[in-house]
Amino acid sequence: EFGLSAKAVIDAAIKEVGYKEGQGNDNKFAAIAGHANHQPWCATFVYAIFKTAGEAKAIPNTAYCPAIEAWARANNAVVPLSESKRGDLVLFDFTRSGKAEHVGIQAHDYNQKSAAVISTIDGNTSSSASGSQANGDGVWRKSRPVSLVRLIVRPKWSNK
């Protein structure tokens, strides 16, 4: 059961909701993750949260969304949207480019009743729908149309 691990990740992510970056994508998560600062940081945020929650080995250590997708496909970690759960990674393709442009942490188990949307906690996104979703200014709770989801990635939980 990966419930405790997922809870630790979600709890760590919730504590960061409302965090805002500094100038030029300056963010505190780069130092935690060991990534370069002053670059788009959605994946850096995700990795930093997993590391903070004691689950650094559950996902790849990368700042590049397509690398997360490649890891998921190579490690049998892709799950159908209908089976997605809190703590999973949600890769988005906002521009329909055919590649992952953004990643967030799924905040709730997928709900068939509200199947049109998915709830996530994301870094480097905008608080509103009008700002950049892939390179925004902070950590926010998001509820987005499932049509924007490219892939759901199941972390390799430590089973603690």
Side-chain angles (χ1 to χ4, degrees):
E1 175 63 30
F2 53 84
L4 290 178
S5 296
K7 183 181 183 325
V9 165
I10 297 298
D11 288 350
I14 287 170
K15 287 179 186 161
E16 300 299 343
V17 172
Y19 171 87
K20 290 189 120 180
E21 70 181 20
Q23 198 160 6
N25 274 345
D26 181 34
N27 71 90
K28 67 181 183 180
F29 304 106
I32 297 167
H35 296 172
N37 198 358
H38 301 284
Q39 66 181 5
W41 51 275
C42 61
T44 295
F45 165 76
V46 167
Y47 184 76
I49 291 299
F50 272 69
K51 187 174 177 182
T52 300
E55 285 291 343
K57 292 180 178 162
I59 62 172
N61 181 358
T62 182
Y64 188 51
C65 292
I68 296 171
E69 179 172 346
W71 174 87
R73 293 190 187 284
N75 288 279
N76 197 28
V78 177
V79 295
L81 176 66
S82 62
E83 295 174 20
S84 63
K85 297 184 179 304
R86 66 188 188 137
D88 285 344
L89 306 188
V90 182
L91 289 166
F92 293 98
D93 181 359
F94 299 124
T95 63
R96 309 277 193 263
S97 66
K99 70 178 189 179
E101 299 170 334
H102 184 75
V103 63
I105 301 168
Q106 190 163 332
H108 302 285
D109 291 356
Y110 184 70
N111 182 341
Q112 300 290 350
K113 292 188 180 96
S114 57
V117 296
I118 193 162
S119 299
T120 57
I121 300 171
D122 303 4
N124 199 36
T125 196
S126 295
S127 57
S128 72
S130 59
S132 173
Q133 299 304 297
N135 191 7
D137 67 352
V139 177
W140 306 106
R141 286 181 175 267
K142 301 299 292 188
S143 187
R144 294 193 174 99
V146 294
S147 61
L148 299 173
V149 173
R150 174 158 175 83
L151 200 71
I152 304 291
V153 179
R154 175 73 35 89
K156 298 290 186 183
W157 300 112
S158 65
N159 296 317
K160 58 178 174 184

